[in-house]
């Protein structure tokens, strides 16, 4: 019975994954507009970030859409298909769970932020319109 369930859900994923990826492309919002200098500063800050994700994970899609909305060029690391990235996530963050945002602080510390809502809230606080005016 377990094998039947496993293959059933794999089949569901096979059917839904392309639909989810197409929906992401069609519904990704326009990014915020910044001056060239502001965007350059944001791009520089994004070099300290990396998103570990699975391509068709709905929670990862949610984070990628927020990144697009905020105009962020964050490195995306595929922890599903790349065994090296999967190992980095497990060793650094302590678990293979996505999405996970790796934040490299100036003092050399690494912070591993899990949960799409927490990641989106952090991105919005750091790069949203309110962060630009302060």
């Amino acid at each position: 019975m377990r094998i039947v369930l496993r293959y059933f859900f794999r089949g569901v994923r096979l059917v839904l994954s392309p639909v989810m990826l197409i929906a992401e492309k069609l519904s990704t919002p326009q990014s915020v507009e910044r001056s060239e200098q502001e965007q350059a500063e944001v791009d520089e800050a994004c070099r300290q970030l990396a998103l570990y994700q699975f391509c068709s994970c709905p929670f990862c899609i949610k984070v990628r859409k927020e990144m697009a909305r905020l105009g962020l060029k964050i490195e995306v690391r595929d922890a599903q298909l790349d065994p090296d990235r999967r190992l980095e996530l497990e060793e650094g963050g302590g678990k293979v769970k996505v999405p996970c945002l790796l934040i490299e602080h100036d003092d050399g510390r690494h912070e591993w932020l899990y949960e799409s809502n927490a990641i989106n809230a952090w991105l919005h606080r750091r790069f949203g319109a309110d962060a630009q005016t302060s």
Side-chain angles (χ1 to χ4, degrees), residues 52 85-98 100-102 110-114:
Y52 288 83
R85 297 299 191 188
R86 185 181 191 93
L87 185 62
E88 287 173 13
L89 178 59
E90 185 173 21
E91 289 179 351
K95 53 189 168 186
V96 179
K97 181 180 174 186
V98 293
C100 180
L101 183 67
L102 170 60
H110 290 121
E111 181 180 351
W112 299 82
L113 185 59
Y114 289 93

Side-chain angles (χ1 to χ4, degrees), residues 1 3 20-21 29 44 57 67 84 86 94 97 103 118 124 127:
M1 186 65 179
I3 277 192
M20 292 170 49
L21 294 174
E44 183 63 31
C57 165
M67 288 167 41
D84 294 333
R86 185 181 191 93
K97 181 180 174 186
I103 305 164
H124 186 72
F127 299 106

